[in-house]
């Protein structure tokens, strides 16, 4: 019996086929590093391209940062970014200030953290002992948000009423309120922060009873 031989050598490519292969866009390679959520959408691409709201935040913070640098030239002010909050360091570990949009509200707050729950409670109690003086210096009552089961608590000022970042006609009022509130809150709370920084953040005066 004669052996049956099949020629599997591919035929030469025509000029048209070679052109097609060179110009065809390659299919995306599935990602294994979290780039896709399994629905074929590349989340990295959506994160790379800022949304309209992200761009609005970036533009708004750019204006706020400029105003802050003129209002308090000796204080550190971060670069603007396309996020809903502006975090402002104050040179003290575990504490920083924030100006933030959240739940259709605009707020300025002091974020108070600590390496452990016990130390966090002591710091919070010390701030509470200074509450009357701090609110007098700020010029208005503040929102004291203790989180007993968390290392972090906040002292906040809220803009009256709802806010909308997409309403650019109101930005001027938002900027003025945010900068003024931040300057007042920081000026009133910095002396307390300085005391907390002394003696490894555990001053003897911490033991005095809190005023609630």
């Amino acid at each position: 019996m004669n052996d049956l031989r099949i020629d599997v050598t591919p035929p030469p490519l025509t000029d048209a086929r070679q052109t097609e292969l060179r110009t065809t866009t390659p299919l995306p390679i599935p990602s294994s590093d979290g780039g896709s959520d399994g629905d074929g959408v590349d989340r990295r691409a959506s994160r790379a391209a800022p949304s309209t709201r992200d761009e609005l935040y970036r533009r708004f913070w750019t204006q706020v940062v400029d105003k802050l640098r003129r209002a308090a030239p000796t204080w550190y002010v971060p670069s603007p970014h396309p996020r809903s909050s502006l975090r402002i360091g104050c040179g003290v570990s575990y504490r920083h200030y924030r100006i933030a949009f959240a739940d259709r509200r605009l707020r300025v707050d002091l974020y108070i953290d600590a390496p452990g729950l016990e130390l966090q409670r002591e710091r919070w109690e010390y701030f509470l002992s200074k509450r009357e003086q701090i609110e007098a210096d700020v010029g208005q009552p503040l929102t004291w948000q203790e989180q007993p089961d968390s290392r972090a608590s906040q002292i906040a000022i809220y803009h009256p009423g709802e806010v909308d970042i997409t309403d650019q006609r109101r930005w001027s009022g938002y900027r003025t309120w945010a900068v003024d509130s931040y300057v007042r809150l920081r000026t009133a709370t910095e002396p307390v922060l300085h005391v907390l920084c002394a003696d490894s953040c555990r001053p003897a005066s911490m033991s005095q009873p809190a005023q609630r």
Side-chain angles (χ1 to χ4, degrees):
M1 175 182 291
N2 295 331
D3 292 338
L4 178 62
R5 297 181 180 276
I6 300 175
D7 187 1
V8 294
T9 303
L13 294 175
T14 63
D15 291 343
R17 180 59 177 159
Q18 290 175 338
T19 301
E20 179 185 350
L21 289 176
R22 286 196 300 266
T23 58
T24 300
T25 302
L27 293 175
I29 299 175
S31 172
S32 60
D33 63 354
S36 171
D37 290 339
D39 57 359
V41 177
D42 189 345
R43 303 303 176 197
R44 292 169 301 180
S46 62
R47 288 196 296 265
S51 67
T52 301
R53 184 174 290 272
D54 290 339
E55 177 60 19
L56 289 175
Y57 284 134
R58 187 193 64 77
R59 287 168 50 197
F60 179 79
W61 296 132
T62 297
Q63 297 171 11
V64 168
V65 163
D66 179 67
K67 197 173 182 70
L68 278 173
R69 287 172 176 162
R70 287 185 279 110
T74 61
W75 287 349
Y76 164 76
V77 180
S79 299
H81 52 67
R83 292 190 292 274
S84 61
S85 64
L86 186 70
R87 173 174 167 167
I88 309 172
C90 57
V92 180
S93 299
Y94 295 101
R95 277 141 289 177
H96 59 265
Y97 295 89
R98 295 181 301 184
I99 306 172
F101 290 90
D103 300 322
R104 301 187 66 84
R105 301 291 303 275
L106 178 60
R107 61 183 279 163
V108 174
D109 65 31
L110 169 61
Y111 182 92
I112 307 165
D113 197 355
L117 286 176
E118 181 180 355
L119 183 56
Q120 164 61 14
R121 291 191 185 101
E122 290 181 355
R123 289 178 175 178
W124 184 249
E125 290 294 319
Y126 185 66
F127 264 100
L128 285 175
S129 74
K130 304 297 182 182
R131 178 172 183 169
E132 184 176 346
Q133 183 60 53
I134 289 173
E135 291 187 336
D137 291 343
V138 171
Q140 69 179 86
L142 304 174
T143 301
W144 297 71
Q145 299 175 312
E146 181 181 12
Q147 301 180 32
D149 298 327
S150 171
R151 282 180 15 191
S153 298
Q154 296 91 37
I155 303 171
I157 309 175
Y158 281 88
H159 185 281
E162 291 190 349
V163 301
D164 183 1
I165 189 62
T166 66
D167 188 355
Q168 299 182 51
R169 296 169 300 178
R170 301 173 64 188
W171 279 15
S172 177
Y174 294 167
R175 289 194 308 269
T176 299
W177 179 89
V179 172
D180 175 70
S181 298
Y182 168 69
V183 170
R184 287 187 291 116
L185 181 63
R186 178 162 179 172
T187 300
T189 55
E190 257 194 339
V192 182
L193 289 176
H194 290 162
V195 171
L196 288 172
C197 287
D199 194 22
S200 301
C201 296
R202 300 175 69 97
S205 54
M206 257 189 190
S207 59
Q208 59 184 294
Q211 299 176 7
R212 297 185 182 278

